[in-house]
Amino acid sequence: MVYTKHGKCRMECRQITADEIREIVLNGTVNHQKSNPADKPCPTVAYEGISTRDRQHIRVVLADCGDQLKVVTVIDLKQDHSCDCR
């Protein structure tokens, strides 16, 4: 997986680790309403689940760029975080 600048910033702000992202992608469910197979340049898939580390309800949005999976953003679905990720 490749972490975009925005994805890394959101991870840091929301205290979500790479291990948690991996866990959600492997064990979570796909939210088809938040996914977009027509996204350009790469289709996006939104995975959701509860992390075992701290029980955060997390959404991970990945861009499937063929040879790379890019972490576009991560969201804590239960708590708002004030992030300055420009």
Side-chain angles (χ1 to χ4, degrees), residues 7-24:
K8 284 190 237 179
C9 180
R10 295 292 180 171
M11 287 170 65
E12 183 177 320
C13 173
R14 294 169 173 154
Q15 299 174 0
I16 297 171
T17 67
D19 287 339
E20 287 176 302
I21 289 174
R22 195 172 307 106
E23 174 186 13
I24 299 305

Side-chain angles (χ1 to χ4, degrees), residues 16-84:
I16 297 171
T17 67
D19 287 339
E20 287 176 302
I21 289 174
R22 195 172 307 106
E23 174 186 13
I24 299 305
V25 171
L26 292 175
N27 303 319
T29 59
V30 173
N31 180 330
H32 294 282
Q33 291 182 333
K34 297 295 182 178
S35 300
N36 187 350
D39 259 351
K40 301 288 183 195
C42 306
T44 55
V45 180
Y47 295 89
E48 294 182 6
I50 307 292
S51 71
T52 55
R53 181 178 70 93
D54 59 3
R55 310 297 301 159
Q56 269 181 295
H57 190 188
I58 298 171
R59 177 182 300 141
V60 177
V61 179
L62 296 181
D64 185 354
C65 297
D67 61 337
Q68 288 184 329
L69 281 178
K70 295 182 180 182
V71 176
V72 176
T73 194
V74 294
I75 301 162
D76 181 335
L77 295 170
K78 295 290 183 189
Q79 181 178 348
D80 280 335
H81 296 266
S82 180
C83 302
D84 186 17

